[in-house]
Structures are given as structure tokens and as C-alpha cells.
Amino acid sequence: MPEGDTVWLTAHRLHAALAGQPLVRADLRVPKLATVDLVGRQVLAVVPRGKHLMARLEGDMTLHSHLRMDGAWHLYGAGERWRGGPMHQVRAVLAAGERVAVGYRLPVLELLRTEEEGEAVGHLGPDLLGPDWDAEQALARLAADPDRPVGEALLDQRNLAGIGNVYVAELCFLRGVTPWTPFGAVPAPERLVALARRLLEANKARPGHVTTGDTRRGRTHWVYGREHQPCLRCGTAVRSARHGDDTRQQDRVAYWCPRCQRGPAPAPDPGPDPGPASSSARC
């Protein structure tokens, strides 16, 4: 699932391409919106809210989309070939001026009154990249359940909006705790929240997420996606396991260094049972 900085960059690019111009094409390829005609309406703004995108149109209308696991918006020039996937995966086409925005595999696409955007995003906690970011409120929401594992708490967008699994892994590493550490046991939790904002701010204007300061391939992350590879700090093999709330289908793969990070963690997988030893084996 895209992190908040990826969604911020997507919104920034869509805004730069479409805002201030009337739509000359608006093709919404979901059944409930198939007959909606938005052509001629001016695009006022495209803004992010956590991992949600809001395209605000004149007439008190907002086109709300969410990328979830593999949705994406691509921008093309007029007449340029679309390359985001097969045509049956296109869910939205918005054209203004010389640019065309194509939404692929969008699991959420709905039209709201702008004044009712809160119905879609009102449950979210403070937005790490939003103009109204409130660190104290985010910290209070996280601390309200001190026994909850920190990785699960950070993924919960009701606490603070914008953190995905990449940043959970990297934040836990940088603060020296495992994702299963109860939030109430995390030292200086205010530093964790401040670091989350710094990382997203540092990465929001570029594709990808660099948390190590090293942009070379294979060295952009401390532990995320590095299972069995040596920790970039101590050389210990990085481990992985599931974490999060599997009852709500919100579990993810956690990555951590068993030497650099303290706290509870699943026992290593012993591997397949080799079965009884052969009678011919030597003792």
C-alpha cells in the first residue's frame, strides 16, 4: 500500500496538471458513476488526506479515490500512449488542457459533496503531511492504548495518517524497538512521532522512500525488504514475520534486526521437520 508521501506526491502532480482548468473529458468507469457528467467543471484543487486523494471540482463536488494496495494515477500528454496497465483496469479518466490523468485499479472511487468530505476521511488522525499536523494529538491517540504493539498502532490511520509498512519497519529500527513492543514501552515516544514526520517530509517530493540517506540500490532501507540480508548497521541477518491485526486483514510483514532492536518478537521458524534419523546414520 502506498505510503502517505507517495500519495502526497501523486496529489501534487495531479494538481499541477489539472487545477485551474475545466475538464474536457471525465470518464468514470465504475457502475455507480457511469452516467455522471463532469465535463466543463473546473478542477479547483487536488489534495491528499493521509492516503486518500480528493479532487475538488466547482459546484461543491469532490472526486474521492484511495489507492489501497495497487491502485495508481498516471499522467499523460494528449495523444500519448497509456502504459499503466490493460484498459480493463482503468477506473477513471480526467483530462484538462494538454494533460490526461488515468486512474488504474482504484478500489475506492466516489463522488461527494465537498462539504461532506469528512464522511470519507473524518475518522483519520492528524495527517503527517497536512497543513494542520498536530503532533500532540497524534501522540495522545497512540498513547490511549499503551499495550498495543507499536507497529500495529502506527499502521492504524485513526491514530495518525500517512504511515505504511515501509515506515513502520524503518521507524522501529531507528528507535531500536521491535514492531511488537507495546507502545507504552517505547522510549521517548514523542521522538518516534517527530521522526515519522521528518522521514515523510524528506521523501514526499521524490518517488520511493530513502531512510538511510544512501540512494544506492539495495541501501535505501535499513531493514524493510531485507530479510536474510545483513543489517546495514551491525551485519546481523534481518528477520521477517507477520504483524498487525489479522482479524481485520490489516496484518503486514514486519522486518527487524534482532541485535539492533529490543523487545518481543516471534521465535525463529525452525524449518521443516527432517523426520527420524536414518538407522545407518552415525551417532
Side-chain angles (χ1 to χ4, degrees), residues 144-232:
D145 189 353
D147 296 328
R148 192 177 190 185
V150 61
E152 184 180 318
L154 290 173
L155 283 174
D156 191 337
Q157 302 297 295
R158 297 171 298 180
N159 290 329
L160 68 175
I163 292 180
N165 205 41
V166 175
Y167 284 120
V168 166
E170 299 297 281
L171 285 165
C172 287
F173 175 85
L174 289 167
R175 296 304 299 154
V177 297
T178 67
W180 297 273
T181 302
F183 184 81
V186 174
E190 70 281 358
R191 295 185 181 180
L192 175 70
V193 172
L195 179 59
R197 179 164 167 82
R198 288 202 303 272
L199 287 178
L200 267 71
E201 281 284 353
N203 285 291
K204 70 180 184 180
R206 63 185 174 193
H209 320 284
V210 179
T211 58
T212 61
D214 190 338
T215 59
R216 290 177 293 175
R217 184 176 181 180
R219 300 186 68 85
T220 56
H221 300 142
W222 290 103
V223 291
Y224 181 81
R226 294 181 53 80
E227 182 183 13
H228 304 313
Q229 298 180 50
C231 169
L232 294 177

Side-chain angles (χ1 to χ4, degrees), residues 9 13 29 39 43 46 55-56 59 61 68 87 119 123 194 222-223 230 246:
L9 182 58
R13 289 175 170 173
R29 302 181 184 181
V39 171
V43 180
V46 182
R56 294 172 180 159
M61 303 183 76
R68 293 214 177 139
M87 290 300 292
E119 295 182 5
H123 65 288
W222 290 103
V223 291
D246 59 357

Side-chain angles (χ1 to χ4, degrees), residues 54-205:
M54 302 289 185
R56 294 172 180 159
L57 312 173
E58 67 175 335
D60 190 36
M61 303 183 76
T62 294
L63 186 65
H64 166 229
S65 61
H66 194 296
L67 306 183
R68 293 214 177 139
M69 294 303 293
D70 47 33
W73 281 96
H74 293 256
L75 278 168
Y76 303 101
E80 184 180 355
R81 179 174 173 268
W82 301 352
R83 302 177 300 278
M87 290 300 292
H88 71 265
Q89 293 182 350
V90 174
R91 297 292 176 267
V93 182
L94 303 176
E98 297 299 317
R99 305 303 300 278
V100 181
V102 184
Y104 289 90
R105 302 172 298 278
L106 301 175
V108 175
L109 188 68
E110 60 179 348
L111 199 60
L112 310 168
R113 293 180 64 86
T114 301
E115 63 182 19
E116 297 173 349
E117 288 180 2
E119 295 182 5
V121 296
H123 65 288
L124 298 176
D127 186 343
L128 283 152
L129 295 177
D132 56 349
W133 164 245
D134 187 331
E136 291 186 3
Q137 184 186 148
L139 187 59
R141 292 190 180 207
L142 290 164
D145 189 353
D147 296 328
R148 192 177 190 185
V150 61
E152 184 180 318
L154 290 173
L155 283 174
D156 191 337
Q157 302 297 295
R158 297 171 298 180
N159 290 329
L160 68 175
I163 292 180
N165 205 41
V166 175
Y167 284 120
V168 166
E170 299 297 281
L171 285 165
C172 287
F173 175 85
L174 289 167
R175 296 304 299 154
V177 297
T178 67
W180 297 273
T181 302
F183 184 81
V186 174
E190 70 281 358
R191 295 185 181 180
L192 175 70
V193 172
L195 179 59
R197 179 164 167 82
R198 288 202 303 272
L199 287 178
L200 267 71
E201 281 284 353
N203 285 291
K204 70 180 184 180

